[in-house]
Amino acid sequence: LHLRTRVYCVFTFSKSFPSCRTQPTTTSSFPRRQMNFNSFPNEVLCSIFDYLPWKDRQRVSLVCRRWNAIINSDHYLRGQKLVLYNYNKAKFFSGVEVELLNRQKNIAFYSNAMFDTEELLDTIGRSFSGGSAMVRSLSLFLRSEHRLARLVVDNIPNLRHLTELKISANEGLTNGVLIDSASLEKLNISFYQSSVCQLVTPRLHTLHLTVRYPSEMELIGTISAQLVELKVSFISKDHVAKLFRCDFRSLKTLNISLKNDKYIAYSVSPVHLRPLEREAIFAQTIVGLETLRIVDICNIFDIDFLKMFAYAKSLKALTINYFKLVSEVSELINGFKGLEYLNLEGCQRMDDSKRLHLPCLQTLVMPYKQLCLFSATQLDTLTTLYYNNTTKDQTLLIKKIAATFTNLSFLCLQHFDNELDRNALLHLNLLTKLRVLVIENMSVSSSVFENCPTVPQLQRLVMDTIVSEVSMLDMIPARFPSLQTLVISNCFLYLILEDSGKHYTTFDELRRQMPCCRISTKDSTIFTNTAKQS
């Protein structure tokens, strides 16, 4: 629907609901016509209802049985998040009552102590303490410690359906936090100031934690044995070594990231000063780990840190970002024989003499400026490749890829230092099993598809965040006759009109030429001298 029509509909709904048929007022912008909203499918009605205030949404549910069923359906409520702000007293609780809070399955509080009101506290207290609240996902974003935060946390044991909880606080909580929940499964915690947190959560299996203080590492140690997934962001690297004292007997997914810490000198890190315990409980219990992701933007972790994970013999997915791929790192990677996914994005290039010996590898994200793998590594099992290039002459690029990765079905060309030139796809037909081609984050020659051979088996083409002339689109229908999906996302396509009568392919014309292909042009624009087409 046109935005003005939707706004008008919302205004009409919020005033009165005499029937399911509405009569727009005659103005210069809205012609007189009958509109039967019951002729719309449920998905359209859901989008219209989203524009209504919560109080008016309750009134809409009384119009007819169909609207009542939509608004109170599990599918609609599960997909909606009730976001409550108390930054403004006048607007915070407009139409929000105990019954509404009880029915919502996804609630987020953005709160400030300055605007705690008795109405707010009474409504939340009656809803959460009664045991009838249906909330499954609860988020708390706190500017400071105040009564609302304590009220919500104290009533967590009464939220019998709660499975996911997120707490983010700018200030420390004086008396700490006790999270007691028999149903909680996923927990996300980030305290900007030190706050002692205790957990009584027997069903908890997923923890996302930002570590700034020793108390947060102690928290991991108390529940590590029951975790299946752990994502930990270290703001201070001096807590990293404590991770290797934990019992991870149930852990399947571990995500570690180290962000810049400008307050602590890197030279004091215990990762460097104290040898790691290779025979401790960590090494004995990490054997069941299947997914490991390590992002070290600060280049602090060394090979001794990585070797602690050599015991993860069940590893299937490995991400190592921003490491230097020295020979010891290459040997460590080759030790994971069951590896199916390997992401080396951001890493410095591998030694030319090293090869990857991974018999099960299916997906590979190449390190930056890595060229030697084409001549040294044969990966017949690989089906998905993410590749970046630094050379100016790209004529043999696809030919080398096809010779090395014979079973490739997904190819992503990204972050090229130079423009993707007119000969880059000259041998694309050699990839006989290719089904998906992605070109993203680079400049592309307008003739890139002109010299490309016909690829009848390609089903999906994605161009994301690229810059090129609009004439690049001209040859797509002829080169990819079996294309089912074409995505042109966030692209800047320009046209230099040397002749005012010159023809160029528009998005609409592209859709007419490819009637069996689903074409998306989200956030993409064709610029001409006088106009633009979005």
Short mmCIF file of all heavy atoms in Angstrom, two decimals, residues 468-504:
data_model
loop_
_atom_site.label_atom_id
_atom_site.label_comp_id
_atom_site.label_asym_id
_atom_site.label_seq_id
_atom_site.Cartn_x
_atom_site.Cartn_y
_atom_site.Cartn_z
N SER A 468 29.21 0.21 -11.23
CA SER A 468 29.44 -0.11 -12.63
C SER A 468 28.52 0.72 -13.51
O SER A 468 27.62 1.41 -13.01
CB SER A 468 29.21 -1.60 -12.88
OG SER A 468 29.50 -1.94 -14.23
N GLU A 469 28.74 0.63 -14.82
CA GLU A 469 27.81 1.26 -15.77
C GLU A 469 26.57 0.38 -15.90
O GLU A 469 26.64 -0.85 -15.79
CB GLU A 469 28.47 1.43 -17.13
CG GLU A 469 29.53 2.53 -17.15
CD GLU A 469 29.99 2.81 -18.57
OE1 GLU A 469 29.12 3.03 -19.45
OE2 GLU A 469 31.21 2.78 -18.81
N VAL A 470 25.46 1.01 -16.19
CA VAL A 470 24.21 0.28 -16.29
C VAL A 470 24.20 -0.70 -17.45
O VAL A 470 23.45 -1.69 -17.46
CB VAL A 470 23.02 1.27 -16.40
CG1 VAL A 470 23.07 2.00 -17.74
CG2 VAL A 470 21.69 0.57 -16.21
N SER A 471 25.05 -0.48 -18.45
CA SER A 471 25.11 -1.39 -19.60
C SER A 471 25.56 -2.79 -19.19
O SER A 471 25.41 -3.74 -19.98
CB SER A 471 26.07 -0.83 -20.67
OG SER A 471 27.36 -0.64 -20.13
N MET A 472 26.07 -2.94 -18.00
CA MET A 472 26.44 -4.27 -17.50
C MET A 472 25.23 -5.21 -17.49
O MET A 472 25.36 -6.42 -17.63
CB MET A 472 27.01 -4.14 -16.09
CG MET A 472 27.38 -5.45 -15.43
SD MET A 472 27.75 -5.26 -13.67
CE MET A 472 26.15 -4.77 -13.05
N LEU A 473 24.03 -4.65 -17.35
CA LEU A 473 22.83 -5.47 -17.25
C LEU A 473 22.39 -6.04 -18.59
O LEU A 473 21.62 -7.01 -18.64
CB LEU A 473 21.67 -4.64 -16.67
CG LEU A 473 21.90 -3.98 -15.31
CD1 LEU A 473 20.69 -3.12 -14.94
CD2 LEU A 473 22.16 -5.02 -14.23
N ASP A 474 22.87 -5.47 -19.68
CA ASP A 474 22.35 -5.81 -21.01
C ASP A 474 22.50 -7.29 -21.35
O ASP A 474 21.61 -7.89 -21.96
CB ASP A 474 23.04 -4.96 -22.08
CG ASP A 474 22.72 -3.49 -21.94
OD1 ASP A 474 21.77 -3.17 -21.21
OD2 ASP A 474 23.43 -2.66 -22.55
N MET A 475 23.63 -7.89 -20.98
CA MET A 475 23.94 -9.25 -21.42
C MET A 475 23.50 -10.33 -20.43
O MET A 475 23.67 -11.52 -20.71
CB MET A 475 25.45 -9.38 -21.66
CG MET A 475 26.00 -8.45 -22.72
SD MET A 475 25.16 -8.64 -24.32
CE MET A 475 25.58 -10.35 -24.69
N ILE A 476 22.95 -9.95 -19.30
CA ILE A 476 22.57 -10.96 -18.29
C ILE A 476 21.54 -11.96 -18.82
O ILE A 476 21.70 -13.17 -18.63
CB ILE A 476 22.07 -10.26 -17.01
CG1 ILE A 476 23.25 -9.57 -16.30
CG2 ILE A 476 21.41 -11.26 -16.06
CD1 ILE A 476 22.87 -8.85 -15.03
N PRO A 477 20.45 -11.54 -19.46
CA PRO A 477 19.48 -12.52 -19.94
C PRO A 477 20.06 -13.54 -20.92
O PRO A 477 19.71 -14.73 -20.88
CB PRO A 477 18.40 -11.65 -20.62
CG PRO A 477 18.53 -10.32 -19.98
CD PRO A 477 20.00 -10.16 -19.71
N ALA A 478 20.98 -13.11 -21.79
CA ALA A 478 21.55 -14.01 -22.79
C ALA A 478 22.59 -14.95 -22.19
O ALA A 478 22.68 -16.11 -22.59
CB ALA A 478 22.17 -13.21 -23.93
N ARG A 479 23.35 -14.46 -21.24
CA ARG A 479 24.43 -15.26 -20.67
C ARG A 479 23.94 -16.29 -19.66
O ARG A 479 24.55 -17.35 -19.49
CB ARG A 479 25.48 -14.35 -20.01
CG ARG A 479 26.18 -13.42 -20.99
CD ARG A 479 27.03 -14.24 -21.98
NE ARG A 479 27.75 -13.36 -22.91
CZ ARG A 479 27.41 -13.18 -24.17
NH1 ARG A 479 26.36 -13.81 -24.66
NH2 ARG A 479 28.12 -12.38 -24.95
N PHE A 480 22.84 -16.00 -18.99
CA PHE A 480 22.34 -16.90 -17.95
C PHE A 480 20.86 -17.23 -18.21
O PHE A 480 19.97 -16.72 -17.52
CB PHE A 480 22.51 -16.27 -16.56
CG PHE A 480 23.90 -15.72 -16.32
CD1 PHE A 480 24.11 -14.35 -16.21
CD2 PHE A 480 24.98 -16.57 -16.24
CE1 PHE A 480 25.38 -13.84 -15.99
CE2 PHE A 480 26.27 -16.08 -16.03
CZ PHE A 480 26.46 -14.71 -15.91
N PRO A 481 20.58 -18.06 -19.18
CA PRO A 481 19.19 -18.30 -19.61
C PRO A 481 18.35 -19.05 -18.59
O PRO A 481 17.11 -18.98 -18.65
CB PRO A 481 19.37 -19.12 -20.90
CG PRO A 481 20.71 -19.78 -20.76
CD PRO A 481 21.56 -18.79 -20.03
N SER A 482 18.98 -19.78 -17.66
CA SER A 482 18.21 -20.56 -16.68
C SER A 482 18.15 -19.89 -15.32
O SER A 482 17.77 -20.52 -14.33
CB SER A 482 18.83 -21.96 -16.53
OG SER A 482 18.86 -22.65 -17.77
N LEU A 483 18.49 -18.63 -15.28
CA LEU A 483 18.54 -17.91 -14.01
C LEU A 483 17.16 -17.87 -13.35
O LEU A 483 16.17 -17.50 -13.98
CB LEU A 483 19.06 -16.49 -14.24
CG LEU A 483 19.79 -15.80 -13.08
CD1 LEU A 483 21.04 -16.59 -12.68
CD2 LEU A 483 20.15 -14.37 -13.47
N GLN A 484 17.12 -18.26 -12.07
CA GLN A 484 15.87 -18.24 -11.31
C GLN A 484 15.78 -17.06 -10.37
O GLN A 484 14.68 -16.58 -10.06
CB GLN A 484 15.72 -19.54 -10.52
CG GLN A 484 15.67 -20.79 -11.38
CD GLN A 484 15.61 -22.06 -10.56
OE1 GLN A 484 15.50 -22.02 -9.33
NE2 GLN A 484 15.70 -23.19 -11.23
N THR A 485 16.95 -16.58 -9.89
CA THR A 485 16.97 -15.46 -8.95
C THR A 485 18.10 -14.51 -9.33
O THR A 485 19.23 -14.92 -9.52
CB THR A 485 17.18 -15.94 -7.51
OG1 THR A 485 16.19 -16.89 -7.17
CG2 THR A 485 17.12 -14.77 -6.53
N LEU A 486 17.77 -13.22 -9.42
CA LEU A 486 18.75 -12.17 -9.68
C LEU A 486 18.60 -11.10 -8.60
O LEU A 486 17.54 -10.50 -8.46
CB LEU A 486 18.55 -11.56 -11.07
CG LEU A 486 19.41 -10.33 -11.39
CD1 LEU A 486 20.89 -10.66 -11.30
CD2 LEU A 486 19.06 -9.78 -12.77
N VAL A 487 19.66 -10.91 -7.82
CA VAL A 487 19.63 -9.93 -6.73
C VAL A 487 20.62 -8.82 -7.05
O VAL A 487 21.82 -9.06 -7.21
CB VAL A 487 19.99 -10.58 -5.38
CG1 VAL A 487 20.01 -9.53 -4.27
CG2 VAL A 487 19.02 -11.69 -5.05
N ILE A 488 20.11 -7.60 -7.17
CA ILE A 488 20.95 -6.41 -7.39
C ILE A 488 20.75 -5.53 -6.16
O ILE A 488 19.80 -4.76 -6.09
CB ILE A 488 20.56 -5.68 -8.69
CG1 ILE A 488 20.56 -6.65 -9.87
CG2 ILE A 488 21.49 -4.51 -8.95
CD1 ILE A 488 20.03 -6.04 -11.16
N SER A 489 21.63 -5.67 -5.18
CA SER A 489 21.42 -5.04 -3.87
C SER A 489 22.47 -3.97 -3.61
O SER A 489 23.67 -4.21 -3.74
CB SER A 489 21.48 -6.11 -2.78
OG SER A 489 21.38 -5.54 -1.49
N ASN A 490 21.98 -2.79 -3.25
CA ASN A 490 22.87 -1.69 -2.82
C ASN A 490 23.92 -1.38 -3.88
O ASN A 490 25.10 -1.15 -3.58
CB ASN A 490 23.55 -2.05 -1.49
CG ASN A 490 24.19 -0.84 -0.82
OD1 ASN A 490 23.71 0.27 -0.93
ND2 ASN A 490 25.31 -1.07 -0.14
N CYS A 491 23.50 -1.37 -5.14
CA CYS A 491 24.42 -1.14 -6.25
C CYS A 491 24.25 0.27 -6.82
O CYS A 491 23.15 0.80 -6.87
CB CYS A 491 24.20 -2.17 -7.36
SG CYS A 491 24.61 -3.86 -6.87
N PHE A 492 25.34 0.83 -7.27
CA PHE A 492 25.36 2.15 -7.91
C PHE A 492 25.66 1.95 -9.38
O PHE A 492 26.79 1.64 -9.76
CB PHE A 492 26.43 3.04 -7.25
CG PHE A 492 26.47 4.44 -7.79
CD1 PHE A 492 25.79 5.46 -7.16
CD2 PHE A 492 27.21 4.74 -8.93
CE1 PHE A 492 25.84 6.76 -7.66
CE2 PHE A 492 27.27 6.03 -9.44
CZ PHE A 492 26.58 7.04 -8.80
N LEU A 493 24.65 2.09 -10.22
CA LEU A 493 24.77 1.89 -11.66
C LEU A 493 24.58 3.24 -12.35
O LEU A 493 23.54 3.87 -12.20
CB LEU A 493 23.74 0.88 -12.15
CG LEU A 493 23.74 -0.49 -11.44
CD1 LEU A 493 22.63 -1.37 -11.96
CD2 LEU A 493 25.09 -1.18 -11.60
N TYR A 494 25.58 3.66 -13.09
CA TYR A 494 25.54 4.99 -13.69
C TYR A 494 25.49 4.88 -15.20
O TYR A 494 25.86 3.87 -15.80
CB TYR A 494 26.74 5.82 -13.25
CG TYR A 494 28.08 5.22 -13.59
CD1 TYR A 494 28.71 5.51 -14.80
CD2 TYR A 494 28.72 4.36 -12.70
CE1 TYR A 494 29.93 4.95 -15.12
CE2 TYR A 494 29.94 3.80 -13.01
CZ TYR A 494 30.55 4.10 -14.22
OH TYR A 494 31.76 3.54 -14.54
N LEU A 495 25.03 5.95 -15.84
CA LEU A 495 24.90 6.01 -17.29
C LEU A 495 25.47 7.33 -17.78
O LEU A 495 25.06 8.41 -17.33
CB LEU A 495 23.43 5.90 -17.71
CG LEU A 495 23.15 6.09 -19.20
CD1 LEU A 495 23.78 4.97 -20.01
CD2 LEU A 495 21.65 6.15 -19.45
N ILE A 496 26.44 7.25 -18.68
CA ILE A 496 27.00 8.44 -19.32
C ILE A 496 26.38 8.55 -20.70
O ILE A 496 26.68 7.76 -21.60
CB ILE A 496 28.53 8.35 -19.42
CG1 ILE A 496 29.13 8.19 -18.02
CG2 ILE A 496 29.10 9.59 -20.10
CD1 ILE A 496 30.63 8.00 -18.02
N LEU A 497 25.49 9.50 -20.88
CA LEU A 497 24.75 9.63 -22.13
C LEU A 497 25.54 10.43 -23.15
O LEU A 497 25.56 11.66 -23.12
CB LEU A 497 23.40 10.29 -21.86
CG LEU A 497 22.37 9.45 -21.08
CD1 LEU A 497 21.13 10.27 -20.80
CD2 LEU A 497 22.01 8.20 -21.86
N GLU A 498 26.19 9.72 -24.06
CA GLU A 498 26.87 10.40 -25.17
C GLU A 498 25.86 10.78 -26.24
O GLU A 498 26.03 11.77 -26.94
CB GLU A 498 27.95 9.50 -25.75
CG GLU A 498 29.04 9.14 -24.73
CD GLU A 498 30.04 8.18 -25.31
OE1 GLU A 498 29.83 7.74 -26.46
OE2 GLU A 498 31.04 7.86 -24.62
N ASP A 499 24.84 9.97 -26.35
CA ASP A 499 23.77 10.23 -27.32
C ASP A 499 22.45 10.24 -26.56
O ASP A 499 22.12 9.30 -25.85
CB ASP A 499 23.76 9.14 -28.39
CG ASP A 499 22.68 9.39 -29.45
OD1 ASP A 499 21.95 10.39 -29.31
OD2 ASP A 499 22.59 8.58 -30.38
N SER A 500 21.70 11.30 -26.66
CA SER A 500 20.46 11.43 -25.90
C SER A 500 19.46 10.34 -26.26
O SER A 500 18.58 10.02 -25.47
CB SER A 500 19.83 12.81 -26.14
OG SER A 500 19.56 12.99 -27.53
N GLY A 501 19.60 9.74 -27.43
CA GLY A 501 18.67 8.69 -27.84
C GLY A 501 19.16 7.30 -27.54
O GLY A 501 18.53 6.32 -27.95
N LYS A 502 20.28 7.17 -26.87
CA LYS A 502 20.86 5.87 -26.59
C LYS A 502 19.99 5.06 -25.65
O LYS A 502 19.49 5.57 -24.65
CB LYS A 502 22.26 6.05 -25.99
CG LYS A 502 22.98 4.73 -25.74
CD LYS A 502 24.36 4.97 -25.16
CE LYS A 502 25.06 3.65 -24.86
NZ LYS A 502 26.43 3.88 -24.30
N HIS A 503 19.82 3.78 -25.96
CA HIS A 503 18.98 2.90 -25.14
C HIS A 503 19.81 2.26 -24.03
O HIS A 503 20.97 1.94 -24.22
CB HIS A 503 18.37 1.80 -26.02
CG HIS A 503 17.69 0.72 -25.23
ND1 HIS A 503 16.43 0.87 -24.70
CD2 HIS A 503 18.11 -0.52 -24.88
CE1 HIS A 503 16.10 -0.24 -24.06
NE2 HIS A 503 17.11 -1.10 -24.15
N TYR A 504 19.21 2.10 -22.86
CA TYR A 504 19.85 1.36 -21.78
C TYR A 504 18.79 0.53 -21.06
O TYR A 504 17.61 0.87 -21.03
CB TYR A 504 20.57 2.30 -20.82
CG TYR A 504 19.67 3.19 -19.99
CD1 TYR A 504 19.26 2.81 -18.72
CD2 TYR A 504 19.21 4.42 -20.48
CE1 TYR A 504 18.43 3.62 -17.95
CE2 TYR A 504 18.39 5.23 -19.73
CZ TYR A 504 18.01 4.83 -18.45
OH TYR A 504 17.19 5.63 -17.71
#
